[in-house]
Amino acid sequence: MSKTFTLDGKEIPFEDGQTVIQAALDAGAYIPHLCHHPEFPPSGSCKLCTVKIDGRQTASCTRRAEAGMTVESDTQELNDERRSLTQMLFVEGNHFCPSCEKSGDCQLQATAYQLHMLTPHYDHFFPNRPVDASHPDYLLEFNRCILCSLCVRASRDVDGKNVFALGGRGIGTHLTVNAASHRLADTDFSADDMAAKVCPVGVILKKRVGFAVPIGQRTFDKKPAADYVDSRLPAKED
Amino acid sequence: MHSEYIDPILERYGHNPTKLMQILRETQEHFGHIHADAIDHLAAKLGITRAQIESTATFYSFFYLEPVGRYRILFSDNITDRMLGNMDLLERLCRQLWIERGKVSEDGLVSVDTTSCTGMCDQGPALLVNNRAATRLTAERVDAIAELVKNQTPLAQWPAEFFQVEDNIRRKDKLLGSELQPGEALRAALSKPPEALVEEVKASNLRGRGGAGFTTGLKWEACRNAPGEAHYVVCNADEGEPGTFKDRVLLTSYADKVFEGMTLCGYAIGAKLGMLYLRGEYRYLLDPLNEILQRRRNANLLGSGILGKAGFDFDIEIHLGAGAYICGEESALIESLEGKRGNPRNRPPFPVTHGYLQQPTVVNNVETFAATTLIALHGGAWYQAIGTEKSAGTKLLSVSGDCERPGIYEYPFGVTVAQVLEDCGARDTQAAQVSGPSGVCISSAEFGRRIAFEDIPTAGAFMVFDQSRDMFEVARNFAHFFAHESCGFCTPCRVGTSLQSNLMDKLHNGHGSPYDFEEIKKLNQLLLSMSHCGLGHTACNPVLDTIAKFPAAYEKRLQHKDFTPAFNLDWALGPARRMTGRDDSGAHFKEEATGETP
């Protein structure tokens, strides 16, 4: 008999050591998230997965599940705050969905739809982040980076390469690559890397396949974010 | 060419990547910045990537990857420095040197910019020149500095009085008033088992002096009982809260008490190593502190078999920070000690069980450690009787701002704000900001309140503002401070603090409306509930406090009753007018309906 906690009134089984979001996603319950990925240790940075446990808010990706805890997630209060966080991510970078080749496959965009975000609300920062198109097969569109650090973790923990890192501080925090030139072409990054596949937004992009699947037939065009329960983009085999 | 100066540094730090901060600092001393090729050399020798090195280096304000001038001048920009005219002096210096703020002069000689509070509020305006603190700036002094820079006079030959830092101790009580011979408290503690010392500290009811107020004895006990390969003592001397400078004074004139307190803790928890995390702004204290450590080693107060106690081996190292307020947060401080970016960790686990190198670690404030010497000497019951019921002992306050006698005041807990104001010679006081920007703003109606954990807890800052001050500008200065010092790890704080400081600028620029107040209130709620650590939780406090207590300061900035946009359409056409050389009426935007002139 496994242990359980309740999430919005629903019983969620878990195993010792699991975090709240891991158990929830395994049980088919969606908690909005961007920096969480089932295959990596938690980061706890985007804060979208914040839930209320016994009256206190906490990131569900870093909070260990405990038997009998009462977790609130799908409440208006939390979703309002999550929407604000999503809006913050939109204005912090330059996210022009209509011209983005990741449109429809983008977790940030899908999450915004999920949370009924209709406007960016805040003033845009319009940062100036030059694109790196140096690599023959991939390009880096830094304007869309949400600093989830999934590529950092994938490259470090799975690929063993440490191609990516976060540099700077505060609003100047930015993604950087491991080369004196800061160009992807001068790293040992390759298409086989886990880091090449893990970006939830449109930063790490494979060249020359951008619109192979037309907009309208893409991942989140078919089902909303919540229906991709583990919310990883399924591999496009066709 | 880089191996020549870097290899001896690496040798000294045992090629240990966890010492990256110190290695970078010493590497930087060679060129004034960290040379790109030096990073490659360090990466190869330390077995880490250059991206990891850059990741750490770019997090801290005082590490530079680009040349920043042979004279690097940073004006302290706390509100108290502003009140003493630092901005005029900065402009004056820039004019004298014919340079723009924030840019390096074309000959690479000098750069001038601002930095967060340097802890010299009682003798400001202050600046750092090549990390050396200069105090009591005046127009004459600034002119002299300009000449010294132009003549390329080495820093060592600048007048010593520029760099004089005063203690300004105005009121002594139990801690500052007691004469302690080095080793005296330690001798008293060593006569009994470590558990007895932990019990005395528990009995004293001493609470951490860094602001949060966790019970020190419980922390020591939890750490002592935590299993681990090694236990560590960390002294948090990253005194970054604007307006605070008590730790500076303790480390200047009472360092033996601090080191002795750390050694007591080492004995209590079974640690062999203690680390003092000294903020980069206090770089000038590094050599004197190392001399004191050496003297203590020579006296067998540090090292192996301390005071003849077989098996009690303990030593202390100093780790110098590099300009990051967030490293005052204990888990960020530990990350920094390990050579990384100062991002606060996810908790639990807490440092008492998983701290430095994931081992049990006690992190205490400078003042906390100093206080433990009194407890070791006089006992927990004696200490517990001082102060109030829930706040045992005395508290050091760093008083600055509008008063006749700024400086350090030591009081038993429970002292009223009014008493402090009277003692420091404050007149016509409008407000006091207690515990810095992350603390509370007290208006005159509340001056009867008490400094104690029961009422107003504080890390020690006490800034005074008289009726002539604009409390809106106080809050705006603090909003900029938080935006600058947010670590950037979590979304709400990284973006929220910047949005808040932009909103305050919007009000400052005359585009404010009640809508903006509501926005700030909503931001505060979001930061409070979603942020990763205390910085985000408290970042809106100064703005909310001043909106609530000094509404007039905000109201006078409102142009409209509902909403005013941040931009002005006619102003936005300015570049187009300049490009086309037109300035006729057709090149201007005309307001309709309202009839207002833009």
Side-chain angles (χ1 to χ4, degrees):
Chain A
M1 182 68 188
S2 64
K3 299 174 187 173
T4 63
F5 62 87
T6 65
L7 172 68
D8 295 327
K10 187 183 165 195
E11 289 283 309
I12 306 284
F14 70 95
E15 283 159 29
D16 281 333
Q18 273 196 311
T19 60
V20 170
I21 200 171
Q22 280 170 344
L25 295 178
D26 284 356
Y30 173 73
I31 298 174
H33 59 276
L34 289 169
C35 74
H36 172 75
H37 188 295
E39 292 173 49
F40 296 111
S43 155
S45 62
C46 81
K47 301 296 176 195
L48 232 68
C49 73
T50 300
V51 293
K52 199 176 254 189
I53 299 174
D54 301 324
R56 287 195 59 160
Q57 296 199 176
T58 178
S60 64
C61 68
T62 53
R63 178 65 187 261
R64 292 278 169 92
E66 287 168 34
M69 60 172 36
T70 305
V71 183
E72 292 172 74
S73 172
D74 192 15
T75 66
Q76 183 175 345
E77 181 193 5
L78 284 165
N79 285 330
D80 284 350
E81 293 188 345
R82 289 176 182 139
R83 192 181 317 110
S84 294
L85 289 181
T86 311
Q87 288 167 324
M88 284 181 173
L89 290 169
F90 267 90
V91 301
E92 181 191 22
N94 295 313
H95 297 273
F96 307 121
C97 295
S99 66
C100 178
E101 65 182 71
K102 196 72 180 276
S103 188
D105 286 332
C106 169
Q107 220 181 315
L108 178 69
Q109 182 192 42
T111 305
Y113 279 124
Q114 180 74 40
L115 294 166
H116 307 294
M117 180 186 132
L118 298 176
T119 72
H121 183 81
Y122 300 111
D123 287 350
H124 282 275
F125 286 79
F126 296 120
N128 181 16
R129 304 179 188 162
V131 172
D132 174 7
S134 62
H135 194 279
D137 301 319
Y138 276 81
L139 69 83
L140 297 177
E141 199 350 340
F142 293 104
N143 286 296
R144 302 166 188 157
C145 184
I146 56 170
L147 307 167
C148 68
S149 81
L150 278 169
C151 59
V152 179
R153 287 177 275 164
S155 185
R156 182 189 63 207
D157 301 342
V158 180
D159 307 328
K161 289 187 178 179
N162 279 304
V163 171
F164 299 101
L166 295 184
R169 183 175 85 198
I171 199 72
T173 307
H174 58 270
L175 185 63
T176 180
V177 300
N178 185 37
S181 63
H182 297 117
R183 284 159 29 114
L184 191 64
D186 298 326
T187 69
D188 51 355
F189 178 83
S190 84
D192 302 327
D193 289 354
M194 177 74 168
K197 304 174 184 74
V198 80
C199 182
V201 289
V203 180
I204 304 175
L205 293 170
K206 191 167 183 353
K207 287 183 175 174
R208 296 175 289 276
V209 295
F211 293 92
V213 177
I215 287 175
Q217 297 173 32
R218 296 182 170 191
T219 314
F220 298 112
D221 294 330
K222 298 177 202 160
K223 289 184 196 168
D227 290 352
Y228 286 87
V229 162
D230 83 356
S231 109
R232 291 316 102 193
L233 305 184
K236 285 200 217 63
E237 53 288 328
D238 40 80
Chain B
M1 100 199 222
H2 292 282
S3 64
E4 212 169 285
Y5 67 95
I6 294 177
D7 287 351
I9 299 169
L10 288 166
E11 198 64 40
R12 218 167 327 115
Y13 289 103
H15 293 83
N16 185 350
T18 65
K19 301 292 179 194
L20 184 60
M21 293 273 294
Q22 308 311 303
I23 294 168
L24 286 174
R25 177 174 59 78
E26 294 190 17
T27 298
Q28 176 167 281
E29 278 169 12
H30 196 78
F31 285 111
H33 72 283
I34 302 164
H35 196 283
D37 297 341
I39 299 178
D40 286 326
H41 187 73
L42 288 172
K45 292 271 179 162
L46 290 170
I48 54 178
T49 65
R50 67 169 296 129
Q52 285 169 299
I53 294 174
E54 285 183 1
S55 177
T56 293
T58 54
F59 185 85
Y60 298 92
S61 294
F62 299 158
F63 287 143
Y64 309 100
L65 301 188
E66 300 290 332
V68 279
R70 269 171 284 150
Y71 294 91
R72 206 165 51 254
I73 297 174
L74 296 170
F75 279 78
S76 177
D77 197 20
N78 185 27
I79 185 69
T80 54
D81 296 291
R82 289 228 165 184
M83 284 151 57
L84 293 163
N86 71 333
M87 283 296 128
D88 288 343
L89 295 173
L90 183 150
E91 275 169 36
R92 187 183 182 101
L93 185 60
C94 284
R95 258 197 326 272
Q96 302 260 16
L97 294 169
W98 205 247
I99 54 171
E100 265 182 80
R101 173 184 166 182
K103 289 188 183 159
V104 186
S105 62
E106 281 180 26
D107 57 0
L109 180 67
V110 58
S111 60
V112 174
D113 209 337
T114 57
T115 187
S116 298
C117 180
T118 58
M120 301 290 164
C121 318
D122 58 334
Q123 45 207 301
L127 61 74
L128 296 173
V129 47
N130 296 358
N131 296 339
R132 195 75 200 278
T135 57
R136 292 179 301 274
L137 298 173
T138 58
E140 294 72 41
R141 200 163 269 198
V142 159
D143 294 349
I145 289 173
E147 283 308 306
L148 290 163
V149 170
K150 281 186 211 161
N151 296 328
Q152 307 193 26
T153 311
L155 221 52
Q157 290 167 30
W158 287 27
E161 69 258 26
F162 287 13
F163 304 114
Q164 204 178 328
V165 178
E166 303 286 349
D167 277 355
N168 289 330
I169 296 171
R170 311 289 186 182
R171 188 182 194 282
K172 291 183 180 184
D173 209 290
K174 295 288 185 292
L175 182 61
L176 301 181
S178 69
E179 297 286 329
L180 176 84
Q181 293 306 312
E184 208 179 334
L186 209 45
R187 238 173 236 110
L190 291 180
S191 65
K192 287 174 274 184
E195 293 85 347
L197 175 59
V198 174
E199 286 309 317
E200 288 299 331
V201 177
K202 276 166 71 182
S204 75
N205 248 340
L206 173 67
R207 298 173 66 167
R209 298 303 195 234
F214 192 80
T215 311
T216 306
L218 291 180
K219 190 184 264 189
W220 288 19
E221 184 176 57
C223 186
R224 178 179 170 74
N225 294 337
E229 289 157 20
H231 288 57
Y232 295 98
V233 176
V234 174
C235 178
N236 183 348
D238 190 60
E239 185 174 46
E241 192 71 49
T244 315
F245 48 87
K246 62 172 180 82
D247 294 345
R248 182 197 84 214
V249 172
L250 284 171
L251 291 170
T252 303
S253 302
Y254 299 82
D256 266 303
K257 280 187 176 146
V258 179
F259 290 141
E260 190 137 333
M262 290 175 71
T263 314
L264 287 168
C265 179
Y267 179 63
I269 68 168
K272 294 204 184 314
L273 180 64
M275 286 164 282
L276 178 85
Y277 189 107
L278 184 67
R279 72 185 303 223
E281 288 82 348
Y282 297 165
R283 164 72 179 83
Y284 72 98
L285 286 173
L286 181 63
D287 296 335
L289 287 172
N290 271 323
E291 281 165 27
I292 293 170
L293 286 175
Q294 193 52 48
R295 172 163 59 66
R296 291 182 71 86
R297 283 183 201 112
N298 296 344
N300 194 216
L301 299 171
L302 288 173
S304 50
I306 290 172
L307 290 174
K309 185 92 176 174
F312 179 32
D313 309 333
F314 185 78
D315 210 333
I316 295 173
E317 292 174 357
I318 300 177
H319 170 107
L320 200 66
Y325 166 75
I326 190 59
C327 290
E329 195 279 341
E330 62 176 0
S331 67
L333 182 145
I334 290 169
E335 288 284 295
S336 180
L337 279 177
E338 294 179 358
K340 296 183 272 189
R341 299 160 66 74
N343 288 342
R345 291 177 175 174
N346 290 308
R347 291 172 303 173
F350 291 92
V352 283
T353 58
H354 295 76
Y356 181 64
L357 304 178
Q358 295 298 315
Q359 300 303 312
T361 305
V362 161
V363 184
N364 275 148
N365 182 258
V366 174
E367 190 183 347
T368 315
F369 280 122
T372 60
T373 61
L374 295 176
I375 296 163
L377 265 182
H378 305 292
W382 172 85
Y383 193 83
Q384 195 270 333
I386 308 162
T388 69
E389 193 193 337
K390 288 181 182 151
S391 314
T394 64
K395 182 77 195 101
L396 301 192
L397 299 179
S398 319
V399 178
S400 63
D402 295 314
C403 63
E404 282 170 15
R405 294 175 295 279
I408 297 295
Y409 292 74
E410 184 188 7
Y411 292 99
F413 267 115
V415 66
T416 61
V417 171
Q419 182 72 52
V420 180
L421 289 171
E422 189 187 321
D423 291 352
C424 72
R427 277 184 232 291
D428 207 18
T429 305
Q430 179 180 198
Q433 182 77 24
V434 183
S435 206
S438 66
V440 287
C441 186
I442 305 291
S443 69
S444 54
E446 307 168 276
F447 289 168
R449 293 180 64 183
R450 293 178 185 280
I451 305 285
F453 291 104
E454 292 97 323
D455 190 3
I456 307 174
T458 176
F462 191 102
M463 292 183 268
V464 184
F465 305 99
D466 70 19
Q467 295 293 347
S468 74
R469 304 299 176 185
D470 182 344
M471 294 311 290
F472 170 83
E473 286 302 330
V474 173
R476 190 167 79 97
N477 179 270
F478 294 161
H480 280 277
F481 167 76
F482 283 119
H484 185 259
E485 297 296 341
S486 167
C487 81
F489 171 77
C490 75
T491 311
C493 179
R494 182 180 67 242
V495 188
T497 53
S498 282
L499 287 170
Q500 174 179 251
S501 98
N502 290 349
L503 279 168
M504 291 297 278
D505 286 351
K506 184 186 174 195
L507 263 65
H508 170 81
N509 294 335
H511 299 297
S513 63
Y515 175 84
D516 300 303
F517 289 7
E518 290 310 310
E519 280 297 290
I520 289 173
K521 284 179 190 168
K522 272 195 279 179
L523 269 179
N524 175 57
Q525 185 50 43
L526 191 74
L527 268 94
L528 202 59
S529 57
M530 292 279 192
S531 289
H532 185 63
C533 79
L535 191 153
H537 296 153
T538 55
C540 295
N541 283 359
V543 176
L544 285 183
D545 272 359
T546 47
I547 288 178
K549 294 173 186 179
F550 306 97
Y554 286 79
E555 274 154 23
K556 73 177 185 195
R557 293 184 156 79
L558 305 185
Q559 286 212 331
H560 295 269
K561 285 202 186 81
D562 42 17
F563 175 76
T564 307
F567 61 91
N568 175 313
L569 283 172
D570 186 62
W571 177 82
L573 286 173
R577 280 194 293 270
R578 280 198 302 280
M579 279 192 287
T580 53
R582 277 181 63 178
D583 200 20
D584 55 284
S585 64
H588 280 273
F589 178 83
K590 289 186 196 66
E591 287 278 347
E592 292 162 20
T594 62
E596 288 176 51
T597 46

